[in-house]
Structure formats: C-alpha cells, structure tokens
Amino acid sequence: MRVVIAGAGIVGRSIARELLGNGHRVLLIDRSPAAMKITSVPDAQWLLADACEISSLDEAELADCDVVVAATGDDKANLVVSLLAKTEYGVPRTVARVNNPKNEWLFDEAWGVDVAVSTPRLMTALVEEAVSVGELVRLFTFQQGQASMAEYTLEEGSPVLGRTVGEVRLPEDTVLVAIVRAERPLPPSPDDVLEPGDHLLFLSVPDAEAELRTILAAG
C-alpha cells in the first residue's frame, strides 16, 4: 500500500514509522525546510512542498496512492488536503487529524474526509475509560455512517451480570465486538457469561447509546 502523509512533524513521522514497519510505502510532504528530518525516517520518501497546492500533489503522484493522511498542525490545511485528495485525485481513503475539537463537525465526507482523528478527543476518551466503571465511553467515531466504538465496564449490580451474551437484547444498530477480560480480548459468543469487570466493546450509532447505557447500568 502506498501512503502519502501531509505534515512531517512528530505526528506525521510517527505514523510513517509505523506504516513502514508494516511493509507499506510512505511519502512525507511538508513545506517547512526545518521539518525535513530525513534521517529520522530514512526509509520514507520525502518531498519539500506545500501539500495544499495542486502542483505539489501532482509531484507527489497522489493519483497513484491508496491512502492520504492529512497530519499537519493546521486544521484548515488538513481539510484542504483531504478535499483535493478525494475530488481531484480520487484517493480511495483519506484520514485527517483534528487539532481543535471545535472543528470536528467540519471533518466529514463533504470535505473529503473518510476518517477524522481528534487527538484531544481520543486522549479524553482514554482518560475516561481508565477511570470509568459503569459508564459508556465513546472511544472513536467513524465519520462515514456516523458509527462509533464505545466501551463499557460492567460493575456490580448490572442487570446483565450472570447472563449470556445471547440473552442480552441489544439496541438496533448495536453490535458487541469484543470482551476484554483479565487483560485479554475475547471474541464474544452467545454462550459467554458476562462477569463483573468485563470491558465490553461495542460498535453502535449515537442514537442507540442512551438505550445501551440503560440496558447495562446498575439500578
């Protein structure tokens, strides 16, 4: 897979290292000469250019890439890169970094964004997940279709404790995708009995979260 990353800062370089380690081809673009720290990711291709300009994206051969990651520290630039990638070059997949949570509403298919990743939002969710028992915590939102991944840690008194997964009637458009028990992920089966402290991971839609919380919460 060929991936073009706009923004060669700490975030962009970290993503590049992970992708290269997984065997993908990566091109990093940045308009700042100071960002051209080529020795920090020597296996990547590098391009000193403004990713918001068509000429730069032509030089990056965006039409031949599989994924574009807009990872700059500027939300406006990330939106422009995503829109150009999708509308001008037909890139199959775009991932955009959201720096300011107030701008999240802009990062959708109208701007060519397939997946928006908000670092502040993710960190907040991880903090909440670490300290919350008996609370439904939304971890991640998929912009297309507005589906989200949420986590719930079962507490004593939950009405689903002692019941099997097959016996729990979940809201429409909600799927239990994993149970994390004793720090090990388990694929849920209808015969699995739910225990206190189980971390349940759901794919759901925002409209179903209130009902899901009611089903799982202790009285």
Side-chain angles (χ1 to χ4, degrees):
M1 181 172 70
R2 181 169 184 262
V3 183
V4 173
I5 301 174
I10 294 174
V11 173
R13 295 197 305 272
S14 297
I15 296 169
R17 291 190 195 98
E18 292 290 330
L19 290 170
L20 288 164
N22 291 332
H24 303 296
R25 294 178 295 142
V26 176
L27 169 65
L28 282 159
I29 307 176
D30 204 294
R31 66 181 182 179
S32 171
M36 295 289 106
K37 300 179 180 180
I38 297 174
T39 57
S40 64
V41 194
D43 295 328
Q45 293 179 299
W46 290 75
L47 177 61
L48 178 60
D50 187 343
C52 292
E53 295 182 359
I54 290 289
S55 58
S56 301
L57 300 181
D58 284 342
E59 188 176 354
E61 298 181 338
L62 228 66
D64 294 326
C65 80
D66 302 290
V67 181
V68 165
V69 180
T72 79
D74 185 334
D75 284 346
K76 296 187 295 295
N78 290 341
L79 288 171
V80 170
V81 170
S82 299
L83 185 63
L84 290 175
K86 187 66 73 173
T87 59
E88 297 296 325
Y89 298 93
V91 175
R93 193 73 167 166
T94 59
V95 180
R97 172 187 175 188
V98 184
N99 296 279
N100 186 341
K102 293 181 179 179
N103 296 329
E104 280 184 337
W105 65 278
L106 288 166
F107 285 73
D108 59 16
E109 60 273 11
W111 277 95
V113 177
D114 292 318
V115 178
V117 180
S118 172
T119 302
R121 187 75 66 190
L122 281 175
M123 292 185 70
T124 300
L126 290 171
V127 169
E128 289 179 339
E129 190 274 336
V131 300
S132 298
V133 176
E135 293 290 338
L136 187 68
V137 179
R138 188 185 300 176
L139 300 176
F140 192 85
T141 298
F142 303 91
Q143 293 297 324
Q144 287 188 332
Q146 297 300 308
S148 61
M149 178 169 284
E151 185 268 351
Y152 191 97
T153 302
L154 292 177
E155 61 180 332
E156 292 287 354
S158 170
V160 303
L161 290 179
R163 299 170 64 184
T164 65
V165 170
E167 291 173 334
V168 179
R169 189 184 179 102
L170 295 176
E172 188 176 358
D173 298 323
T174 300
V175 178
L176 176 63
V177 295
I179 301 171
V180 180
R181 180 180 295 161
E183 301 183 357
R184 296 182 62 86
L186 306 172
S189 73
D191 297 325
D192 285 327
V193 178
L194 297 172
E195 301 177 1
D198 280 352
H199 303 279
L200 309 181
L201 294 177
F202 297 94
L203 280 180
S204 185
V205 294
D207 289 346
E209 289 181 356
E211 183 180 354
L212 180 60
R213 188 178 291 107
T214 299
I215 291 170
L216 301 172

